[in-house]
Amino acid sequence: MEAKVNSTTISLVRGDITLEETDAIVNAANSALAGGGGVDGAIHRAGGPAIMEECGKIGGCPTGSAVITTGGNLKASFVIHTVGPIYRGGSYGEPGLLKSAYASSLSLAIKKGLKSISFPSISTGVYGYPIEEASTIAVSTVIEFVRQNEGLDLVRFVLFSERDLAAYSGALRKNLQSPSP
Ligand code: ADP
């Protein structure tokens, strides 16, 4: 599924984010930037040790923020590492922190002059964020951002499962029909 908002194409695909050819791919990292399982492990495996070397120098990243490293051996030139919240029921600031993880990544991409960026579904794996809520926040944050900021040609969500793709497609359709305030 694809939609155009101002000059930015928003695209939803099912796939493996490590294969993406956008300027940057986003990693759902932990705050120590220490590597881990899930998409984090896959990105470090595919990109090679240069990524962890830079992560070590940066040292860490607070929840809701983002940092950038080389893409190492990946097709993407850069990896933007962001840290989503661990879901603890939803009343511990999780929605704001998830929104901030997406917005910080997008801001960093623009600051670096990048034109295209791919996101995984941040926080919905080991961090336990319910997919319906997380996809609504992810999609509305990206749409709000590209309405307010020029520079990105393509923002892509690369979803690992059919179920995740369906949730994001539903969220995008809903947002385009009745934009959130
Ligand atoms: P978090 O700790 O933020 O929840 P996870 O890596 O556990 O991060 O999961 C985030 C999402 O990334 C999950 O939906 C998971 O299925 C997905 N994922 C795992 N590997 C990949 C991959 N290679 N490409 C895209 N998405 C992936």
Side-chain angles (χ1 to χ4, degrees), residues 99 136 139-141 143-144 147 174-181:
K99 190 177 161 91
T136 301
V139 164
S140 65
T141 304
I143 289 178
E144 187 185 325
R147 283 210 173 106
K174 232 185 204 169
N175 192 294
L176 296 172
Q177 277 163 13
S178 51
S180 37

Side-chain angles (χ1 to χ4, degrees), residues 27-37 40-41 44 52 55-56 59-61 81 83 127:
N27 181 18
N30 53 56
S31 53
L33 300 178
D40 196 345
H44 283 288
M52 186 50 80
C55 283
C61 177
H81 306 261
V83 184
Y127 280 7

Side-chain angles (χ1 to χ4, degrees), residues 32-116:
L33 300 178
V39 71
D40 196 345
I43 288 172
H44 283 288
R45 268 195 306 279
I51 300 175
M52 186 50 80
E53 218 167 275
E54 284 188 30
C55 283
K57 282 181 193 147
I58 295 166
C61 177
T63 305
S65 297
V67 299
I68 190 164
T69 68
T70 175
N73 303 328
L74 296 169
K75 287 182 181 140
S77 304
F78 300 95
V79 176
I80 292 176
H81 306 261
T82 191
V83 184
I86 296 171
Y87 190 78
R88 294 190 291 150
S91 51
Y92 291 87
E94 293 97 325
L97 288 167
L98 186 61
K99 190 177 161 91
S100 172
Y102 281 100
S104 305
S105 302
L106 292 163
S107 295
L108 196 46
I110 291 213
K111 200 172 133 201
K112 289 278 170 184
L114 308 185
K115 293 288 173 197
S116 56

